[in-house]
Amino acid sequence: MHLAYPAVLSALLFCTGLYGVLARRNAILVLMSVELMLNAVNLNLVAFDVWLSRTSEETLHSGQALTLFTIAIAAAEIGIGLAIVLAVHRNRGTADIDRLRDTSERHDPDGTGHDARTAEPSDEAQKAEATA
């Protein structure tokens, strides 16, 4: 098999993952797109390792060893990433990346010291007053 076939497939997978990272709003879909990009890199590593081992007669297979390392790092990344996303979703009620960024940047544009969005009592404060 030619080297071009896995290289083109890897490029298509990587571009699909890159589009998913740039265009998606949901944090879980962004994590899935990052995993797709890492799998494209793994496919490239294995394909070039096989191609180079045929031409140089080496038995080291460093591309395959690096692929195993990348898989281990990706598994740890997705585990920690999903834990963070689930914790944020439980606290804020959304996994939308734009809303999470907006809630972390609560600066008052006119400098009065309070935010106009927090002037209204929140649903949680109303629930606490109702139960008290």
Side-chain angles (χ1 to χ4, degrees), residues 3 6 41-67:
L3 181 63
V41 170
N42 287 339
L43 179 63
N44 245 352
L45 284 171
V46 171
F48 277 99
D49 180 56
V50 168
W51 181 67
L52 287 175
S53 67
R54 277 193 214 153
T55 58
S56 66
E57 299 296 327
E58 73 176 44
T59 59
L60 185 59
H61 297 294
S62 57
Q64 293 179 12
L66 191 58
T67 297

Side-chain angles (χ1 to χ4, degrees), residues 8-131:
V8 167
L9 178 64
S10 176
L12 289 174
L13 284 174
F14 192 85
C15 289
T16 304
L18 185 64
Y19 172 75
V21 167
L22 295 176
R24 299 292 176 194
R25 304 262 189 245
N26 193 343
I28 297 207
L29 292 176
V30 170
L31 286 174
M32 288 174 58
S33 298
V34 169
E35 290 296 319
L36 192 63
M37 292 168 62
L38 287 173
N39 285 332
V41 170
N42 287 339
L43 179 63
N44 245 352
L45 284 171
V46 171
F48 277 99
D49 180 56
V50 168
W51 181 67
L52 287 175
S53 67
R54 277 193 214 153
T55 58
S56 66
E57 299 296 327
E58 73 176 44
T59 59
L60 185 59
H61 297 294
S62 57
Q64 293 179 12
L66 191 58
T67 297
L68 289 175
F69 180 72
T70 306
I71 289 171
I73 294 297
E77 175 258 336
I78 198 68
I80 292 171
L82 278 176
I84 291 171
V85 167
L86 287 174
V88 166
H89 186 272
R90 284 183 188 154
N91 288 337
R92 309 255 175 141
T94 184
D96 188 10
I97 294 175
D98 290 335
R99 286 186 184 172
L100 295 177
R101 186 189 63 218
D102 291 341
T103 58
S104 68
E105 299 172 353
R106 291 194 179 182
H107 299 291
D108 188 21
D110 59 354
T112 59
H114 68 281
D115 192 2
R117 288 178 284 184
T118 59
E120 294 287 326
S122 66
D123 291 334
E124 294 174 4
Q126 290 175 354
K127 287 178 187 177
E129 289 177 13
T131 56

